[in-house]
Amino acid sequence: MPFVSIRITREGNTVEQKTQVIREVTETLQRVLGKSPHLTHIVIEEVDTDNWGYAGQTTTEFRRQAVEHKA
């Protein structure tokens, strides 16, 4: 039974987009690995950008700085 966990930042991802991701990941597992869609579980976790960090800072701050540097 495949279980796929996908974490993305929460920034206005639509239900339609998430549905498409779930459908396409399920189809890929079926096509490539022969896994049954009825046994495949996909979980999408959306994380606030204040709770996602890299390079020593939150994603919120990193993006704020990127915008300021463009200006």
Side-chain angles (χ1 to χ4, degrees):
M1 168 176 72
F3 173 84
V4 178
S5 177
I6 300 169
R7 290 188 181 130
I8 57 177
T9 53
R10 180 177 289 122
E11 14 185 12
N13 307 301
T14 67
V15 171
E16 292 80 11
Q17 289 170 320
K18 291 182 278 187
T19 299
Q20 181 178 352
V21 168
I22 291 168
R23 182 178 58 252
E24 291 185 17
V25 169
T26 300
E27 290 169 356
T28 298
L29 289 171
Q30 180 180 24
R31 185 181 68 254
V32 175
L33 300 178
K35 300 300 181 180
S36 170
H38 300 293
L39 299 176
T40 300
H41 299 262
I42 312 291
V43 174
I44 297 176
E45 297 177 75
E46 291 184 288
V47 179
D48 289 326
T49 57
D50 285 341
N51 296 326
W52 191 301
Y54 60 98
Q57 57 192 337
T58 67
T59 299
T60 304
E61 183 59 27
F62 183 86
R63 290 181 180 169
R64 183 178 6 258
Q65 289 177 5
V67 169
E68 290 173 359
H69 285 99
K70 286 183 182 181

